[in-house]
Amino acid sequence: VDDVNIVRVGAEHPLNRRRLSPLPTYWPAFFRAFSNYDIIDSNQGIASFSGFFIFFAKKPLVATFHDIYWTQWNDYFSFPFSSLGKTMEFLWSRLDYSRIIAVSPTTAKKLRHLGFRPQIDVIPSGIDNRFIESINAKKNKNSVVFVGRLVSYKHIDSLIRAFALVQKRYPDAVLKIVGTGPDENKLKPLAKSLGINADFYGFVTEEE
């Protein structure tokens, strides 16, 4: 990309569900990166523990964080995984990365509140405009589409309740929900109980 060679290390992580199995594969690749690359970007999760080895790496080591749960672990995970998640985030906050990238101002605020010491820069996740413009999408009248993870802090339940009011005025309106997440089993019954036209598509490809 723009004459920069980007190498993604470790086993491919599935996009439609979160798994632990690929995580150990990052470590051998990380240690090889000490000599092979100019900059190491540890992209949240187990990879963030690379901050322990920044002294040995002897090159810039950047940590990218998409979100921090901290007080929300108990909302999504039961013990002991909730406690493990909190412990991981606390340990990350004590590591000396060269620089930290947060994908949103909210995430940056959480990182600072948790005590992350390195400089934090906000760089939103990128999108490929050329790819989006190349898709021949059909416009459907009176349709609303949500795309994202089905988690409580995105307030999809509020969208569903609001859409119930919309549908009273526009009976042919349709709500399309794309994505998966822990709240899926709560949102489907909610939509059914309100009697709205809601389609849940689950995980779909970029083209879809």
Side-chain angles (χ1 to χ4, degrees), residues 7-166:
V7 179
R8 302 184 185 276
V9 302
E12 184 175 354
H13 199 96
L15 296 177
N16 61 334
R17 65 179 63 89
R18 297 188 174 188
R19 293 176 178 169
L20 296 175
S21 55
L23 300 183
T25 68
Y26 299 159
W27 290 107
F30 171 73
F31 286 112
R32 287 198 303 273
F34 280 6
S35 58
N36 294 343
Y37 309 117
D38 300 308
I39 297 176
I40 301 171
D41 177 18
S42 298
N43 202 307
Q44 199 151 357
I46 294 296
S48 299
F49 285 112
S50 58
F52 278 118
F53 307 101
I54 188 171
F55 175 78
F56 302 100
K58 299 185 184 304
K59 60 189 63 179
L61 197 157
V62 178
T64 299
F65 286 93
H66 299 267
D67 197 5
I68 287 289
Y69 284 170
W70 193 234
T71 59
Q72 298 175 305
W73 278 99
N74 292 331
D75 298 335
Y76 303 118
F77 299 92
S78 57
F79 182 83
F81 298 105
S82 56
S83 297
L84 178 61
K86 280 189 174 184
T87 301
M88 288 174 60
E89 290 183 347
F90 176 78
L91 291 174
W92 295 339
S93 71
R94 297 300 179 262
L95 300 180
D96 290 321
Y97 307 103
S98 304
R99 191 72 65 91
I100 292 177
I101 296 173
V103 301
S104 71
T106 300
T107 298
K109 184 178 179 180
K110 289 181 179 180
L111 293 169
R112 294 188 183 101
H113 181 74
L114 194 53
F116 280 75
R117 294 187 294 267
Q119 179 176 331
I120 301 173
D121 295 305
V122 177
I123 304 178
S125 298
I127 60 173
D128 187 344
N129 283 317
R130 288 175 295 183
F131 171 76
I132 294 173
E133 292 166 358
S134 70
I135 300 297
N136 185 22
K138 297 179 181 178
K139 292 185 177 181
N140 297 320
K141 186 178 180 181
N142 293 343
S143 64
V144 176
V145 180
F146 168 87
V147 182
R149 289 194 68 227
L150 307 186
V151 290
S152 61
Y153 59 81
K154 294 184 182 288
H155 303 291
I156 309 159
D157 56 332
S158 298
L159 170 63
I160 291 174
R161 291 188 177 93
F163 192 82
L165 302 177
V166 171

Side-chain angles (χ1 to χ4, degrees), residues 174-189:
V174 177
L175 174 61
K176 301 178 180 181
I177 298 177
V178 179
T180 60
D183 277 13
E184 186 171 356
N185 292 331
K186 298 178 183 177
L187 297 172
K188 286 182 176 179

Side-chain angles (χ1 to χ4, degrees), residues 182-204:
D183 277 13
E184 186 171 356
N185 292 331
K186 298 178 183 177
L187 297 172
K188 286 182 176 179
L190 175 62
K192 186 176 181 179
S193 68
L194 294 174
I196 65 173
N197 298 326
D199 295 325
F200 287 81
Y201 289 82
F203 176 81
V204 301

